[in-house]
Amino acid sequence: MIDIIKAFDFPINIEISEDGSIYEIIIGDKKPKIETIKESPLPVVKIGICGHGGLGDDLIRLNFILHLIPVFKKKYGNILITFYGRQEYSIFKSINFIDRWVFNKKSNLTAMANICSSENDLSFIVRYTVTILQKGEEFVEKSDLGINSGNSIYENLESGLGEFAFGKNSLCLKKSLFQSSRQISLYKKLYFSLFFPCPFVIVSNGTDGIFPQKQTKRMSPQFINNVLSLFHKRGIKTIQIGHKTTEFIEPLVSPKMGINLIGKTKLNEVLFLIEKSIGVVACEGGVAHISSLLEKKTVVMFGPTDPVFWRYPKNLNLSPSLDVCPIMPCWLKSGRWHEECLGEKMRIVPSQNNGCSKCMNSHLSLTTIDKIEEYLLGE
């Protein structure tokens, strides 16, 4: 097992010698220590891409493998790419550069990576580091994948991961997303057009966990109501979407202007609605990623995760100041960072701290609302 990346800047280029060895890895302007991986040319070379996480993480992995496909096709000619993930999403059906999909909600990263390694000649385990495995090689997950571990792609990242998502090779993925958003029935298109006429804004507080209301990334109910009021006062409807366990926030101003589609839409229908909307207000998660790839105006509310890493350049990326919480961003500093507020040293429960983490609770300011108004409604 070889960890190939400590500094991670995009795009990534991998050169392959005539004997099948990877002999040069160039990451942006940086050249990390070169490791050689012997790989005999085969009639069909099986390549696996594996990780663990939600929709946003999967989109990053899909963009990553897009950078590698031309290299492997040039060298081997005939390749078969398998994507290993936690959950199948409807938009994946229109992505044609993946030959095979494998999903397992119950499998952890180590188990999934070892299955990937056993089935493929070359496997890429992409999480916050990138690990290459040869066929049958065992994957051992590090317990210290935090940003201070020396193994994180965060440490020397200058441009942000979102910059990578807007690279030239991501155009194929964007095209697939647009194609998927149109793959809904004529009945549904008429239904959405009749009952949810423009203008409207999408609001998403759902993350990819089984219980999104316990996630430290979620926005507070009070903040969401401030956002809803901003648009309702101007005659603009809001549509709340998300996982079925996400809480619907009842609007205080013009309740009939707020539409509840939480748990009622398929992902391709969500994409269709995003395309028709003025824009999206979301916590950092899957909806923010797909909205960004669709190049829709997107407001992303950051807290425990870092906008330097996860931002997209055209979005309005809002994050609290370090005065709010000195350990922010705290992602990966604890194995339970996604459900425990490290600043308050407590689990996220609806009855405490406005039902969200310390950093996300700090977004309750008129200045934040003014920025959202200017970005989404300004000339």
Side-chain angles (χ1 to χ4, degrees), residues 3 133 174 187 194 246 271 298 321 372:
D3 292 316
L133 299 178
K174 290 182 191 178
Y187 167 77
L194 180 63
T246 303
L271 267 64
T298 307
S321 68
I372 294 174

Side-chain angles (χ1 to χ4, degrees), residues 147 154 303-307 319 322 325-333 342 359:
I147 61 175
Y154 171 88
T305 52
D306 195 340
S319 182
L322 287 175
C325 183
I327 65 171
M328 190 185 67
C330 61
W331 69 310
L332 300 182
K333 290 183 179 178
L342 302 185
C359 54

Side-chain angles (χ1 to χ4, degrees), residues 55-56 59 91 177 241 267-268 270-271 274 280 285-296 298 312:
L55 175 60
L59 292 176
I91 61 172
L177 286 172
I241 61 173
L267 191 54
N268 57 345
V270 169
L271 267 64
I274 288 175
V280 173
V287 170
H289 284 281
I290 60 176
S291 176
S292 302
L293 284 169
L294 289 171
E295 298 186 340
K296 181 62 66 173
T298 307
Y312 291 78

Side-chain angles (χ1 to χ4, degrees), residues 12 14 29 35 45 56 67 74 100 102 116 118 123 128 133 137 151 174-175 177 180 204 208 224 289 310 322 327 349:
I12 178 171
I14 295 181
D29 297 329
E35 300 284 357
V45 175
H67 284 76
K74 182 179 179 180
R100 179 171 169 258
V102 176
C116 180
S118 69
S123 297
Y128 306 108
L133 299 178
E137 190 174 0
N151 293 309
K174 290 182 191 178
K175 184 177 180 181
L177 286 172
S180 178
S204 174
D208 295 297
I224 292 178
H289 284 281
W310 295 105
L322 287 175
I327 65 171
V349 294

Side-chain angles (χ1 to χ4, degrees), residues 156-169:
N156 294 297
L157 188 65
E158 296 175 351
S159 59
L161 199 56
E163 302 281 358
F164 167 51
F166 276 90
K168 62 180 181 179
N169 285 336

Side-chain angles (χ1 to χ4, degrees), residues 12-17 22 24 47 65-77 79:
I12 178 171
N13 297 299
I14 295 181
E15 298 294 334
I16 303 176
S17 64
I22 293 178
E24 188 172 28
I47 298 169
I65 200 64
L66 270 173
H67 284 76
L68 304 183
I69 288 175
V71 177
F72 289 120
K73 280 188 174 180
K74 182 179 179 180
K75 173 59 188 176
Y76 299 114
I79 60 175

Side-chain angles (χ1 to χ4, degrees), residues 96-306:
N96 56 15
F97 55 85
I98 300 296
D99 301 298
R100 179 171 169 258
W101 302 86
V102 176
F103 300 100
N104 191 332
K105 289 184 179 181
K106 297 181 180 180
S107 180
N108 58 35
L109 176 62
T110 300
M112 194 178 297
N114 287 328
I115 292 173
C116 180
S117 174
S118 69
E119 295 180 345
N120 295 279
D121 302 298
L122 199 60
S123 297
F124 291 82
I125 315 304
V126 181
R127 199 180 181 197
Y128 306 108
T129 60
V130 180
T131 302
I132 294 179
L133 299 178
Q134 299 180 71
K135 185 173 180 64
E137 190 174 0
E138 184 179 359
F139 174 75
V140 179
E141 185 176 8
K142 291 181 173 62
S143 60
D144 59 346
L145 277 178
I147 61 175
N148 298 317
S149 69
N151 293 309
S152 173
I153 59 179
Y154 171 88
E155 290 187 349
N156 294 297
L157 188 65
E158 296 175 351
S159 59
L161 199 56
E163 302 281 358
F164 167 51
F166 276 90
K168 62 180 181 179
N169 285 336
S170 70
L171 294 177
C172 180
L173 185 56
K174 290 182 191 178
K175 184 177 180 181
S176 295
L177 286 172
F178 277 113
Q179 179 182 345
S180 178
S181 68
R182 293 180 173 88
Q183 291 178 349
I184 64 175
S185 66
L186 179 61
Y187 167 77
K188 275 298 182 74
K189 288 182 179 180
L190 292 173
Y191 175 81
F192 286 142
S193 299
L194 180 63
F195 290 97
F196 313 125
C198 298
F200 60 83
V201 170
I202 300 290
V203 178
S204 174
N205 201 27
T207 54
D208 295 297
I210 298 175
F211 300 106
Q213 69 271 23
K214 293 183 179 180
Q215 296 279 333
T216 54
K217 295 193 293 184
R218 70 185 292 274
M219 300 175 283
S220 72
Q222 186 177 345
F223 173 77
I224 292 178
N225 232 313
N226 291 346
V227 172
L228 301 179
S229 299
L230 164 67
F231 299 114
H232 293 178
K233 288 177 180 178
R234 289 157 179 76
I236 300 171
K237 292 183 178 180
T238 56
I239 299 178
Q240 294 181 50
I241 61 173
H243 190 275
K244 62 183 180 181
T245 57
T246 303
E247 178 187 6
F248 173 71
I249 305 302
E250 193 72 37
L252 297 178
V253 175
S254 305
K256 293 184 179 180
M257 299 285 286
I259 301 168
N260 181 10
L261 289 184
I262 292 173
K264 301 175 183 178
T265 53
K266 297 179 180 179
L267 191 54
N268 57 345
E269 295 168 354
V270 169
L271 267 64
F272 179 82
L273 290 170
I274 288 175
E275 280 195 270
K276 300 298 181 184
S277 71
I278 293 175
V280 173
V281 179
C283 60
E284 189 272 303
V287 170
H289 284 281
I290 60 176
S291 176
S292 302
L293 284 169
L294 289 171
E295 298 186 340
K296 181 62 66 173
K297 281 189 173 183
T298 307
V299 179
V300 186
M301 307 306 300
F302 283 92
T305 52
D306 195 340

